[in-house]
Amino acid sequence: MDDKFEILGSEDGDVVIDLNGHILKLSQLDLALSNLILDNGNLHQLNSRLDSIKSRRLPAIENSEDWINKGVECQVLKPGKNWQSGKFRMKLSIEFCPDESEIKEAESPLDDLRRQIDDISS
C-alpha cells in the first residue's frame, strides 16, 4: 500500500481534506507549511537539527522566500558526474493513498464486447 501514494501538488489546490472532522483545503495547508519553513525561527531550527547530525548549515539568504519559490543558486555533484550549476529549492510534498476498495474501477459493460472483438481480430 505504501507505494501507491501520490503527491497532491499545487495544481490540486482546490482539494479538500477531511481529517476526522478537521476540514481544510490543500492550498491552505501548503501555504501554512511553506510559511512555517520560511519563518526565520524555523529555518534556524532546521540549521540546529543539521548541527545535531554533524552536517553543515544552510546559508543565510537575503530573501528567504527564494528557498521555496525562485530557488537559490547552487552546484550539485552526482556520483560519476561533474559539478552542475543550477538552483536549489525546497518543496514539501503532501501525499494521499486511496483505500484499495476505491482504487479498483468497475468493469464496463463494453469490456466483454471489446474482448470478443480482440479475439476475432487476433
PDB file of all heavy atoms in Angstrom, residues 63-89:
ATOM      1  N   ASN A  63      16.499  36.989   0.687  1.00  0.00           N
ATOM      2  CA  ASN A  63      15.050  36.824   0.563  1.00  0.00           C
ATOM      3  C   ASN A  63      14.725  35.360   0.857  1.00  0.00           C
ATOM      4  O   ASN A  63      14.895  34.489   0.005  1.00  0.00           O
ATOM      5  CB  ASN A  63      14.585  37.219  -0.838  1.00  0.00           C
ATOM      6  CG  ASN A  63      13.079  37.156  -0.990  1.00  0.00           C
ATOM      7  OD1 ASN A  63      12.356  36.852  -0.034  1.00  0.00           O
ATOM      8  ND2 ASN A  63      12.588  37.432  -2.177  1.00  0.00           N
ATOM      9  N   SER A  64      14.233  35.092   2.042  1.00  0.00           N
ATOM     10  CA  SER A  64      14.020  33.704   2.458  1.00  0.00           C
ATOM     11  C   SER A  64      12.982  32.980   1.600  1.00  0.00           C
ATOM     12  O   SER A  64      12.987  31.762   1.534  1.00  0.00           O
ATOM     13  CB  SER A  64      13.622  33.649   3.934  1.00  0.00           C
ATOM     14  OG  SER A  64      12.402  34.315   4.151  1.00  0.00           O
ATOM     15  N   GLU A  65      12.106  33.709   0.908  1.00  0.00           N
ATOM     16  CA  GLU A  65      11.114  33.062   0.045  1.00  0.00           C
ATOM     17  C   GLU A  65      11.771  32.367  -1.146  1.00  0.00           C
ATOM     18  O   GLU A  65      11.171  31.478  -1.753  1.00  0.00           O
ATOM     19  CB  GLU A  65      10.081  34.071  -0.442  1.00  0.00           C
ATOM     20  CG  GLU A  65       9.114  34.485   0.647  1.00  0.00           C
ATOM     21  CD  GLU A  65       7.977  35.347   0.114  1.00  0.00           C
ATOM     22  OE1 GLU A  65       7.715  35.320  -1.104  1.00  0.00           O
ATOM     23  OE2 GLU A  65       7.357  36.035   0.923  1.00  0.00           O
ATOM     24  N   ASP A  66      13.012  32.747  -1.471  1.00  0.00           N
ATOM     25  CA  ASP A  66      13.710  32.100  -2.574  1.00  0.00           C
ATOM     26  C   ASP A  66      13.918  30.615  -2.317  1.00  0.00           C
ATOM     27  O   ASP A  66      14.038  29.829  -3.253  1.00  0.00           O
ATOM     28  CB  ASP A  66      15.060  32.778  -2.837  1.00  0.00           C
ATOM     29  CG  ASP A  66      14.895  34.143  -3.498  1.00  0.00           C
ATOM     30  OD1 ASP A  66      13.774  34.456  -3.940  1.00  0.00           O
ATOM     31  OD2 ASP A  66      15.887  34.890  -3.561  1.00  0.00           O
ATOM     32  N   TRP A  67      13.977  30.212  -1.041  1.00  0.00           N
ATOM     33  CA  TRP A  67      14.146  28.790  -0.724  1.00  0.00           C
ATOM     34  C   TRP A  67      13.015  27.956  -1.316  1.00  0.00           C
ATOM     35  O   TRP A  67      13.195  26.788  -1.641  1.00  0.00           O
ATOM     36  CB  TRP A  67      14.165  28.554   0.792  1.00  0.00           C
ATOM     37  CG  TRP A  67      15.443  28.932   1.449  1.00  0.00           C
ATOM     38  CD1 TRP A  67      15.631  29.978   2.318  1.00  0.00           C
ATOM     39  CD2 TRP A  67      16.720  28.299   1.327  1.00  0.00           C
ATOM     40  NE1 TRP A  67      16.944  30.017   2.737  1.00  0.00           N
ATOM     41  CE2 TRP A  67      17.624  28.995   2.140  1.00  0.00           C
ATOM     42  CE3 TRP A  67      17.179  27.206   0.600  1.00  0.00           C
ATOM     43  CZ2 TRP A  67      18.970  28.640   2.248  1.00  0.00           C
ATOM     44  CZ3 TRP A  67      18.512  26.855   0.709  1.00  0.00           C
ATOM     45  CH2 TRP A  67      19.387  27.562   1.523  1.00  0.00           C
ATOM     46  N   ILE A  68      11.828  28.549  -1.451  1.00  0.00           N
ATOM     47  CA  ILE A  68      10.666  27.804  -1.923  1.00  0.00           C
ATOM     48  C   ILE A  68      10.245  28.229  -3.327  1.00  0.00           C
ATOM     49  O   ILE A  68       9.843  27.400  -4.129  1.00  0.00           O
ATOM     50  CB  ILE A  68       9.493  27.966  -0.933  1.00  0.00           C
ATOM     51  CG1 ILE A  68       9.862  27.276   0.370  1.00  0.00           C
ATOM     52  CG2 ILE A  68       8.203  27.407  -1.489  1.00  0.00           C
ATOM     53  CD1 ILE A  68       8.895  27.488   1.481  1.00  0.00           C
ATOM     54  N   ASN A  69      10.353  29.502  -3.656  1.00  0.00           N
ATOM     55  CA  ASN A  69       9.821  29.990  -4.927  1.00  0.00           C
ATOM     56  C   ASN A  69      10.844  29.981  -6.062  1.00  0.00           C
ATOM     57  O   ASN A  69      10.803  29.123  -6.927  1.00  0.00           O
ATOM     58  CB  ASN A  69       9.229  31.385  -4.748  1.00  0.00           C
ATOM     59  CG  ASN A  69       8.054  31.380  -3.795  1.00  0.00           C
ATOM     60  OD1 ASN A  69       7.281  30.438  -3.775  1.00  0.00           O
ATOM     61  ND2 ASN A  69       7.929  32.399  -2.983  1.00  0.00           N
ATOM     62  N   LYS A  70      11.741  30.942  -6.071  1.00  0.00           N
ATOM     63  CA  LYS A  70      12.686  31.099  -7.181  1.00  0.00           C
ATOM     64  C   LYS A  70      13.816  30.080  -7.153  1.00  0.00           C
ATOM     65  O   LYS A  70      14.352  29.710  -8.180  1.00  0.00           O
ATOM     66  CB  LYS A  70      13.298  32.498  -7.158  1.00  0.00           C
ATOM     67  CG  LYS A  70      12.334  33.610  -7.434  1.00  0.00           C
ATOM     68  CD  LYS A  70      13.066  34.929  -7.396  1.00  0.00           C
ATOM     69  CE  LYS A  70      12.106  36.078  -7.533  1.00  0.00           C
ATOM     70  NZ  LYS A  70      12.795  37.371  -7.375  1.00  0.00           N
ATOM     71  N   GLY A  71      14.213  29.676  -5.983  1.00  0.00           N
ATOM     72  CA  GLY A  71      15.368  28.801  -5.847  1.00  0.00           C
ATOM     73  C   GLY A  71      16.603  29.612  -5.479  1.00  0.00           C
ATOM     74  O   GLY A  71      16.646  30.826  -5.652  1.00  0.00           O
ATOM     75  N   VAL A  72      17.600  28.926  -4.975  1.00  0.00           N
ATOM     76  CA  VAL A  72      18.850  29.530  -4.525  1.00  0.00           C
ATOM     77  C   VAL A  72      19.976  28.959  -5.381  1.00  0.00           C
ATOM     78  O   VAL A  72      20.020  27.745  -5.615  1.00  0.00           O
ATOM     79  CB  VAL A  72      19.079  29.199  -3.026  1.00  0.00           C
ATOM     80  CG1 VAL A  72      20.397  29.726  -2.553  1.00  0.00           C
ATOM     81  CG2 VAL A  72      17.934  29.757  -2.174  1.00  0.00           C
ATOM     82  N   GLU A  73      20.849  29.824  -5.871  1.00  0.00           N
ATOM     83  CA  GLU A  73      21.971  29.381  -6.705  1.00  0.00           C
ATOM     84  C   GLU A  73      22.776  28.308  -5.987  1.00  0.00           C
ATOM     85  O   GLU A  73      23.036  28.415  -4.786  1.00  0.00           O
ATOM     86  CB  GLU A  73      22.891  30.563  -7.046  1.00  0.00           C
ATOM     87  CG  GLU A  73      22.231  31.653  -7.877  1.00  0.00           C
ATOM     88  CD  GLU A  73      21.942  31.225  -9.300  1.00  0.00           C
ATOM     89  OE1 GLU A  73      22.672  30.375  -9.846  1.00  0.00           O
ATOM     90  OE2 GLU A  73      20.952  31.739  -9.861  1.00  0.00           O
ATOM     91  N   CYS A  74      23.152  27.270  -6.725  1.00  0.00           N
ATOM     92  CA  CYS A  74      23.940  26.193  -6.127  1.00  0.00           C
ATOM     93  C   CYS A  74      24.681  25.425  -7.209  1.00  0.00           C
ATOM     94  O   CYS A  74      24.538  25.710  -8.399  1.00  0.00           O
ATOM     95  CB  CYS A  74      23.037  25.238  -5.351  1.00  0.00           C
ATOM     96  SG  CYS A  74      22.026  24.186  -6.421  1.00  0.00           S
ATOM     97  N   GLN A  75      25.460  24.450  -6.779  1.00  0.00           N
ATOM     98  CA  GLN A  75      26.081  23.471  -7.652  1.00  0.00           C
ATOM     99  C   GLN A  75      25.787  22.100  -7.066  1.00  0.00           C
ATOM    100  O   GLN A  75      25.750  21.940  -5.847  1.00  0.00           O
ATOM    101  CB  GLN A  75      27.595  23.681  -7.734  1.00  0.00           C
ATOM    102  CG  GLN A  75      28.002  24.944  -8.450  1.00  0.00           C
ATOM    103  CD  GLN A  75      29.515  25.018  -8.592  1.00  0.00           C
ATOM    104  OE1 GLN A  75      30.255  24.245  -7.997  1.00  0.00           O
ATOM    105  NE2 GLN A  75      29.959  25.960  -9.398  1.00  0.00           N
ATOM    106  N   VAL A  76      25.583  21.121  -7.932  1.00  0.00           N
ATOM    107  CA  VAL A  76      25.269  19.761  -7.491  1.00  0.00           C
ATOM    108  C   VAL A  76      26.312  18.813  -8.073  1.00  0.00           C
ATOM    109  O   VAL A  76      26.672  18.924  -9.249  1.00  0.00           O
ATOM    110  CB  VAL A  76      23.847  19.358  -7.957  1.00  0.00           C
ATOM    111  CG1 VAL A  76      23.581  17.885  -7.704  1.00  0.00           C
ATOM    112  CG2 VAL A  76      22.804  20.222  -7.270  1.00  0.00           C
ATOM    113  N   LEU A  77      26.786  17.903  -7.236  1.00  0.00           N
ATOM    114  CA  LEU A  77      27.717  16.877  -7.674  1.00  0.00           C
ATOM    115  C   LEU A  77      27.063  15.521  -7.488  1.00  0.00           C
ATOM    116  O   LEU A  77      26.723  15.127  -6.375  1.00  0.00           O
ATOM    117  CB  LEU A  77      29.021  16.939  -6.861  1.00  0.00           C
ATOM    118  CG  LEU A  77      30.086  15.907  -7.218  1.00  0.00           C
ATOM    119  CD1 LEU A  77      30.548  16.074  -8.664  1.00  0.00           C
ATOM    120  CD2 LEU A  77      31.262  16.016  -6.258  1.00  0.00           C
ATOM    121  N   LYS A  78      26.829  14.811  -8.587  1.00  0.00           N
ATOM    122  CA  LYS A  78      26.237  13.477  -8.553  1.00  0.00           C
ATOM    123  C   LYS A  78      27.347  12.459  -8.802  1.00  0.00           C
ATOM    124  O   LYS A  78      28.306  12.756  -9.526  1.00  0.00           O
ATOM    125  CB  LYS A  78      25.144  13.345  -9.621  1.00  0.00           C
ATOM    126  CG  LYS A  78      23.964  14.264  -9.380  1.00  0.00           C
ATOM    127  CD  LYS A  78      22.919  14.108 -10.476  1.00  0.00           C
ATOM    128  CE  LYS A  78      21.749  15.042 -10.236  1.00  0.00           C
ATOM    129  NZ  LYS A  78      20.772  14.969 -11.324  1.00  0.00           N
ATOM    130  N   PRO A  79      27.225  11.274  -8.218  1.00  0.00           N
ATOM    131  CA  PRO A  79      28.268  10.248  -8.417  1.00  0.00           C
ATOM    132  C   PRO A  79      28.542   9.989  -9.900  1.00  0.00           C
ATOM    133  O   PRO A  79      27.613   9.823 -10.695  1.00  0.00           O
ATOM    134  CB  PRO A  79      27.670   9.002  -7.754  1.00  0.00           C
ATOM    135  CG  PRO A  79      26.692   9.534  -6.761  1.00  0.00           C
ATOM    136  CD  PRO A  79      26.144  10.788  -7.367  1.00  0.00           C
ATOM    137  N   GLY A  80      29.817  10.015 -10.254  1.00  0.00           N
ATOM    138  CA  GLY A  80      30.228   9.746 -11.632  1.00  0.00           C
ATOM    139  C   GLY A  80      30.000  10.903 -12.585  1.00  0.00           C
ATOM    140  O   GLY A  80      30.181  10.763 -13.782  1.00  0.00           O
ATOM    141  N   LYS A  81      29.582  12.050 -12.082  1.00  0.00           N
ATOM    142  CA  LYS A  81      29.295  13.214 -12.939  1.00  0.00           C
ATOM    143  C   LYS A  81      30.154  14.398 -12.496  1.00  0.00           C
ATOM    144  O   LYS A  81      30.770  14.385 -11.429  1.00  0.00           O
ATOM    145  CB  LYS A  81      27.814  13.620 -12.826  1.00  0.00           C
ATOM    146  CG  LYS A  81      26.828  12.518 -13.126  1.00  0.00           C
ATOM    147  CD  LYS A  81      26.652  12.337 -14.595  1.00  0.00           C
ATOM    148  CE  LYS A  81      25.577  11.274 -14.837  1.00  0.00           C
ATOM    149  NZ  LYS A  81      25.279  11.104 -16.208  1.00  0.00           N
ATOM    150  N   ASN A  82      30.168  15.456 -13.298  1.00  0.00           N
ATOM    151  CA  ASN A  82      30.852  16.704 -12.950  1.00  0.00           C
ATOM    152  C   ASN A  82      29.900  17.616 -12.201  1.00  0.00           C
ATOM    153  O   ASN A  82      28.684  17.405 -12.207  1.00  0.00           O
ATOM    154  CB  ASN A  82      31.343  17.415 -14.223  1.00  0.00           C
ATOM    155  CG  ASN A  82      32.446  16.645 -14.914  1.00  0.00           C
ATOM    156  OD1 ASN A  82      33.273  16.006 -14.267  1.00  0.00           O
ATOM    157  ND2 ASN A  82      32.451  16.688 -16.230  1.00  0.00           N
ATOM    158  N   TRP A  83      30.452  18.644 -11.569  1.00  0.00           N
ATOM    159  CA  TRP A  83      29.622  19.644 -10.900  1.00  0.00           C
ATOM    160  C   TRP A  83      28.681  20.266 -11.927  1.00  0.00           C
ATOM    161  O   TRP A  83      29.075  20.547 -13.056  1.00  0.00           O
ATOM    162  CB  TRP A  83      30.485  20.736 -10.279  1.00  0.00           C
ATOM    163  CG  TRP A  83      31.160  20.312  -9.015  1.00  0.00           C
ATOM    164  CD1 TRP A  83      32.443  19.898  -8.879  1.00  0.00           C
ATOM    165  CD2 TRP A  83      30.577  20.265  -7.714  1.00  0.00           C
ATOM    166  NE1 TRP A  83      32.702  19.587  -7.567  1.00  0.00           N
ATOM    167  CE2 TRP A  83      31.577  19.808  -6.821  1.00  0.00           C
ATOM    168  CE3 TRP A  83      29.315  20.551  -7.200  1.00  0.00           C
ATOM    169  CZ2 TRP A  83      31.354  19.644  -5.472  1.00  0.00           C
ATOM    170  CZ3 TRP A  83      29.091  20.389  -5.860  1.00  0.00           C
ATOM    171  CH2 TRP A  83      30.103  19.945  -5.003  1.00  0.00           C
ATOM    172  N   GLN A  84      27.443  20.509 -11.513  1.00  0.00           N
ATOM    173  CA  GLN A  84      26.455  21.141 -12.383  1.00  0.00           C
ATOM    174  C   GLN A  84      25.845  22.320 -11.649  1.00  0.00           C
ATOM    175  O   GLN A  84      25.365  22.186 -10.528  1.00  0.00           O
ATOM    176  CB  GLN A  84      25.375  20.137 -12.770  1.00  0.00           C
ATOM    177  CG  GLN A  84      24.375  20.683 -13.754  1.00  0.00           C
ATOM    178  CD  GLN A  84      23.361  19.633 -14.188  1.00  0.00           C
ATOM    179  OE1 GLN A  84      23.273  18.555 -13.623  1.00  0.00           O
ATOM    180  NE2 GLN A  84      22.594  19.966 -15.216  1.00  0.00           N
ATOM    181  N   SER A  85      25.879  23.493 -12.288  1.00  0.00           N
ATOM    182  CA  SER A  85      25.305  24.703 -11.696  1.00  0.00           C
ATOM    183  C   SER A  85      23.809  24.721 -11.908  1.00  0.00           C
ATOM    184  O   SER A  85      23.288  24.176 -12.879  1.00  0.00           O
ATOM    185  CB  SER A  85      25.913  25.955 -12.341  1.00  0.00           C
ATOM    186  OG  SER A  85      27.285  26.007 -12.078  1.00  0.00           O
ATOM    187  N   GLY A  86      23.110  25.363 -10.993  1.00  0.00           N
ATOM    188  CA  GLY A  86      21.666  25.482 -11.121  1.00  0.00           C
ATOM    189  C   GLY A  86      21.072  26.157  -9.907  1.00  0.00           C
ATOM    190  O   GLY A  86      21.734  26.955  -9.249  1.00  0.00           O
ATOM    191  N   LYS A  87      19.844  25.840  -9.621  1.00  0.00           N
ATOM    192  CA  LYS A  87      19.140  26.401  -8.463  1.00  0.00           C
ATOM    193  C   LYS A  87      18.588  25.273  -7.615  1.00  0.00           C
ATOM    194  O   LYS A  87      18.205  24.223  -8.128  1.00  0.00           O
ATOM    195  CB  LYS A  87      18.020  27.329  -8.900  1.00  0.00           C
ATOM    196  CG  LYS A  87      18.529  28.606  -9.523  1.00  0.00           C
ATOM    197  CD  LYS A  87      17.425  29.601  -9.670  1.00  0.00           C
ATOM    198  CE  LYS A  87      18.020  30.917 -10.152  1.00  0.00           C
ATOM    199  NZ  LYS A  87      17.070  31.988 -10.057  1.00  0.00           N
ATOM    200  N   PHE A  88      18.530  25.523  -6.326  1.00  0.00           N
ATOM    201  CA  PHE A  88      18.024  24.576  -5.333  1.00  0.00           C
ATOM    202  C   PHE A  88      16.825  25.216  -4.663  1.00  0.00           C
ATOM    203  O   PHE A  88      16.863  26.384  -4.298  1.00  0.00           O
ATOM    204  CB  PHE A  88      19.138  24.309  -4.302  1.00  0.00           C
ATOM    205  CG  PHE A  88      18.686  23.601  -3.063  1.00  0.00           C
ATOM    206  CD1 PHE A  88      18.572  22.227  -3.045  1.00  0.00           C
ATOM    207  CD2 PHE A  88      18.382  24.311  -1.906  1.00  0.00           C
ATOM    208  CE1 PHE A  88      18.170  21.573  -1.893  1.00  0.00           C
ATOM    209  CE2 PHE A  88      17.975  23.661  -0.757  1.00  0.00           C
ATOM    210  CZ  PHE A  88      17.871  22.286  -0.749  1.00  0.00           C
ATOM    211  N   ARG A  89      15.746  24.479  -4.548  1.00  0.00           N
ATOM    212  CA  ARG A  89      14.613  24.960  -3.776  1.00  0.00           C
ATOM    213  C   ARG A  89      14.025  23.785  -3.012  1.00  0.00           C
ATOM    214  O   ARG A  89      14.203  22.630  -3.392  1.00  0.00           O
ATOM    215  CB  ARG A  89      13.570  25.656  -4.629  1.00  0.00           C
ATOM    216  CG  ARG A  89      12.814  24.773  -5.560  1.00  0.00           C
ATOM    217  CD  ARG A  89      11.823  25.570  -6.370  1.00  0.00           C
ATOM    218  NE  ARG A  89      11.066  24.692  -7.247  1.00  0.00           N
ATOM    219  CZ  ARG A  89      10.147  25.094  -8.058  1.00  0.00           C
ATOM    220  NH1 ARG A  89       9.848  26.382  -8.125  1.00  0.00           N
ATOM    221  NH2 ARG A  89       9.504  24.239  -8.823  1.00  0.00           N
TER     222      ARG A  89
END
